Amino acid sequence: MYYRLVSFFYLNDAKSCLKDFEKIRSLFTSEKDILECYSYFYKLLNKVFNNSFSVCTPLQAIIEYIEKNLSDVELSNVVLAEKLCISEPYLRKRFSDTYNISPKQYILERRIEKAKELLLEDKMSVSQIAEETGFSCITVFSRAFKTKVGVSPSEFVRKEKISEILNR
């Protein structure tokens, strides 16, 4: 639980630290849990002050969140903006300015890259891969894959296997 809490609370200054503590505290309901909550809070503060905790920017945390949640069909700009407690247009602007790509396009590219990896492992069906990479159905997956890669998923696998044989 500790690691999960740490990954999305940004400790840039005292004001944001207090806001983050309020977020953490809202996750605990009983009085007994509040003591555990304070324990986490003091651990966070201790790590920050000892410089043993690398403070990541909100956008870096969003990248981590995307990586961990690629299979979530609901993953969107709206969800990401809610995680940062900022507006969606502001998220798109900050993300695009920093990474030269929109969050939506980044998610799509990461899903396609993950799909390529899974296709080459040859352990799952195309529909399972579509589900694992966060596409709502195989049709949407196939269309997006062909648009980005230039060939269908099955054609991609065939070409990669032929290339592998020729390069031995």
Side-chain angles (χ1 to χ4, degrees):
M1 176 131 174
Y2 173 67
Y3 178 74
R4 195 170 68 78
L5 288 174
V6 171
S7 62
F8 288 100
F9 296 96
Y10 316 105
L11 303 171
N12 297 326
D13 59 18
K15 200 176 209 178
S16 69
C17 191
L18 287 174
K19 275 189 200 177
D20 295 340
F21 173 67
E22 290 302 319
K23 289 177 188 176
I24 291 171
R25 196 166 86 182
S26 71
L27 298 172
F28 295 89
T29 53
S30 75
E31 197 61 31
K32 180 184 167 209
D33 291 337
I34 292 297
L35 294 175
E36 183 182 359
C37 173
Y38 280 103
S39 168
Y40 287 125
F41 182 69
Y42 289 122
K43 285 178 185 177
L44 289 172
L45 286 177
N46 187 40
K47 287 188 177 234
V48 169
F49 290 120
N50 289 331
N51 290 325
S52 63
F53 180 76
S54 67
V55 179
C56 66
T57 67
L59 291 178
Q60 289 169 326
I62 287 297
I63 295 290
E64 288 177 23
Y65 184 83
I66 290 169
E67 294 302 320
K68 290 178 186 171
N69 294 282
L70 273 178
S71 62
D72 183 359
V73 176
E74 302 295 319
L75 187 60
S76 67
N77 290 347
V78 173
V79 170
L80 297 175
E82 286 173 2
K83 291 288 177 197
L84 283 179
C85 300
I86 60 175
S87 71
E88 182 191 357
Y90 184 68
L91 167 73
R92 285 192 322 259
K93 171 132 180 54
R94 287 279 314 273
F95 196 96
S96 296
D97 288 350
T98 304
Y99 299 110
N100 295 320
I101 188 172
S102 72
K104 183 178 178 180
Q105 280 302 114
Y106 179 82
I107 293 168
L108 179 60
E109 286 189 10
R110 288 300 304 129
R111 285 178 169 165
I112 296 296
E113 288 305 312
K114 180 72 175 175
K116 285 179 178 180
E117 293 169 17
L118 294 172
L119 284 165
L120 294 175
E121 287 176 8
D122 205 25
K123 295 179 182 174
M124 302 168 81
S125 70
V126 174
S127 60
Q128 289 172 320
I129 291 171
E131 184 178 318
E132 183 69 23
T133 54
F135 289 93
S136 57
C137 67
I138 191 168
T139 307
V140 173
F141 167 66
S142 295
R143 189 175 303 131
F145 192 94
K146 187 167 185 169
T147 300
K148 278 289 188 190
V149 180
V151 293
S152 69
S154 55
E155 181 71 16
F156 171 77
V157 171
R158 189 164 43 101
K159 284 185 174 192
E160 287 298 313
K161 286 182 179 182
I162 290 170
S163 176
E164 185 181 308
I165 291 168
L166 293 175
N167 292 327
R168 283 189 196 169

